[in-house]
Amino acid sequence: LAAVYHRLCKVTDEGGAQAGEYLVKYAADRVRTLGTAWLGLTVGCAQCHDHKYDPLSQQEFYELAAFFADIEQVGVYELRDYRGFQPLGKVQREDGREVTFAATVSTEPMETRVLARGDWLAEGGEVVQPNTPALLPPLGVEGRRATRADLADWLVRPDHPLVPRVVAARLWELLMGQPLVPVADDLGAQGGRPHDARLLDWLAGRFVASGFDLRDLVRTIVTSREIGRAHV
C-alpha cells in the first residue's frame, strides 16, 4: 500500500518513448522522494556521480533504488495498461465508512546496476543489493535480501538521526509559519544550520519517545507554553 505513494510520479504515454529509460526515471524519482520526505537530503545529486557535498556515493543511490526493484511496473503507459496497481478491497474508517484502497504488486526483483553518469543505456555497472547509506545507522539485515519493510523499520528506529528531525522541522514550519531550519528538505552540508538546534533536538526526542506519534507532536507544538513564549 505504501509503495503506491512512491509511484505517484509523472509517467509517460508518449509515442516513441523508451520503456527502459522511463523505468530508470521512475526508480530515481522514488529515491528522490525517499530522500526528500524522510531523510532531508538531496540524494538525487548522486544519481550520476558521488554527491559533491554530502557523504553519499552513487552506489548508495542505486542501493536505495534496489529496495523498489520488486514493484511490477511498465515504462510507457497506455490508458488501459496501468499494470501493477491492484484493488485489494475495502477498509472501514473510524466513522463507519468504507474506503476502497489499492496496492502495488510485488514481483521477482529486477537487477539493479550502478549506471555510469546515470545513463540508462550503461549496462556494465556493478550489480547492487538494497542497502542504506553508510553515514546513517546500519540496516542490520544479513543473510538475505533486504525488503521495503526493512527500509520502513529502519526509518523509524529510535537512533535514526535524521527522520525525527526532518518530520519535526517540517511540522513546525507548517504549524507555526516560520522555519526551524533554512530548508526543511535539505539538512545536508549545503542546507544551513538550524535556527534553534536545541528546540529541534528536543522536538525530535519527544517524537521518538512517543513512538513516532504525529498527533502527539502536533499537540506538543501548538499547546506548549514554553515553546509559545520563546518562539511565537
Side-chain angles (χ1 to χ4, degrees):
L1 179 62
V4 171
Y5 292 93
H6 278 285
R7 296 184 61 182
L8 297 179
C9 56
K10 183 182 292 186
V11 297
T12 186
D13 58 1
E14 181 181 356
Q18 299 297 309
E21 178 182 8
Y22 278 87
L23 285 174
V24 170
K25 288 179 181 289
Y26 303 153
D29 182 88
R30 286 191 282 271
V31 177
R32 287 189 174 92
T33 299
L34 171 69
T36 299
W38 294 106
L39 304 179
L41 295 175
T42 55
V43 297
C45 297
Q47 179 180 358
C48 302
H49 49 74
D50 291 349
H51 202 296
K52 292 183 177 180
Y53 303 106
D54 296 325
L56 292 166
S57 69
Q58 187 184 22
Q59 176 176 326
E60 289 172 331
F61 178 91
Y62 288 97
E63 287 174 344
L64 287 173
F67 278 107
F68 305 97
D70 66 337
I71 294 177
E72 182 181 2
Q73 189 168 8
V74 297
V76 180
Y77 286 81
E78 299 179 12
L79 291 178
R80 64 177 184 276
D81 188 28
Y82 278 76
R83 192 171 64 209
F85 290 98
Q86 295 290 332
L88 294 187
K90 297 182 178 181
V91 292
Q92 192 170 42
R93 303 193 324 185
E94 293 182 358
D95 60 7
R97 295 182 180 181
E98 289 188 337
V99 179
T100 302
F101 66 94
T104 59
V105 176
S106 294
T107 185
E108 188 69 21
M110 297 177 58
E111 184 179 78
T112 303
R113 291 180 177 270
V114 178
L115 302 180
R117 298 186 179 181
D119 184 357
W120 69 280
L121 293 174
E123 300 179 349
E126 179 182 353
V127 176
V128 296
Q129 298 298 315
N131 204 357
T132 50
L135 82 157
L136 296 170
L139 186 63
V141 174
E142 298 179 1
R144 62 174 175 82
R145 181 186 176 94
T147 67
R148 282 179 276 127
D150 295 321
L151 177 63
D153 290 338
W154 174 80
L155 287 170
V156 293
R157 54 185 291 174
D159 63 341
H160 203 298
L162 290 179
V163 172
R165 289 178 172 85
V166 170
V167 175
R170 188 171 288 121
L171 273 181
W172 176 274
E173 185 169 359
L174 287 172
L175 294 169
M176 308 301 278
Q178 52 186 338
L180 276 179
V181 294
V183 182
D185 294 341
D186 186 4
L187 300 188
Q190 298 296 297
R193 293 182 177 276
H195 302 311
D196 192 329
R198 291 181 62 189
L199 175 59
L200 180 59
D201 288 348
W202 186 85
L203 289 171
R206 171 72 181 240
F207 187 38
V208 172
S210 71
F212 291 88
D213 187 333
L214 282 172
R215 183 176 296 180
D216 178 80
L217 181 59
V218 170
R219 185 185 299 113
T220 299
I221 292 175
V222 300
T223 64
S224 173
R225 293 181 179 179
E226 289 75 15
I227 292 178
R229 283 197 296 265
H231 300 279
V232 175

